[in-house]
Amino acid sequence: PAAPPLVEALLASSIVGRIACNAPGERPYLVPLAYAYDGDSVYAVSGPGRKIDLMRADGRVSFEVDRVDRSDTWQSVVTEGEFEEVSDPDEIQMAIGLLEGATGVPVIMGDHSIVFRLRLSAKSGRYETP
């Protein structure tokens, strides 16, 4: 089934979310992530580190985005997805274009930068208004 319009709108209009990765035998690893959304997947760029190591070991992730105006006016989306490194040069350029368009900030690729996507398989949202 299609995700509700609120879910799609919040994913498309936000630029920072939180990704939770599986850390075997430990608590889930949760970090903020600047991203772009194309209607199916979340795209991001990262350097090497714990987040990438964990997602390479177990690609199942959760991703959360929220917007809070006041304590009684908020929106939240929680998704489930699968990590996938992007290696095709055309797809990398497409992802960089999406990120720059979403954030308004140039993406600076370092020698060890990793472009990845989270292929979203489930999305749900909640909100409260006065």
Side-chain angles (χ1 to χ4, degrees), residues 23-128:
E26 300 176 33
R27 295 176 191 261
Y29 184 61
L30 178 70
V31 293
L33 180 72
Y35 77 95
Y37 177 64
D38 73 353
D40 292 311
S41 298
V42 165
Y43 290 85
V45 175
S46 178
R50 185 172 183 206
K51 167 179 73 248
I52 296 295
D53 291 345
L54 289 172
M55 290 190 298
R56 284 176 172 161
D58 183 346
R60 297 172 301 153
V61 298
S62 295
F63 185 70
E64 186 269 347
V65 177
D66 55 55
R67 177 175 296 137
V68 179
D69 296 321
R70 299 187 328 230
S71 63
D72 64 348
T73 308
W74 55 268
Q75 301 171 359
S76 175
V77 169
V78 175
T79 70
E80 295 175 6
E82 191 73 25
F83 165 79
E84 181 179 285
E85 286 187 53
V86 177
S87 57
D88 177 77
D90 292 335
E91 287 187 86
I92 289 172
Q93 288 307 309
M94 181 273 306
I96 289 171
L98 281 173
L99 284 160
E100 290 178 343
T103 64
V105 176
V107 172
I108 308 298
M109 295 289 289
D111 291 340
H112 302 289
S113 294
I114 298 155
V115 177
F116 65 93
R117 80 177 121 237
L118 307 177
R119 290 196 183 268
L120 303 183
S121 55
K123 306 170 198 170
S124 63
R126 298 192 50 113
Y127 66 94
E128 183 173 327

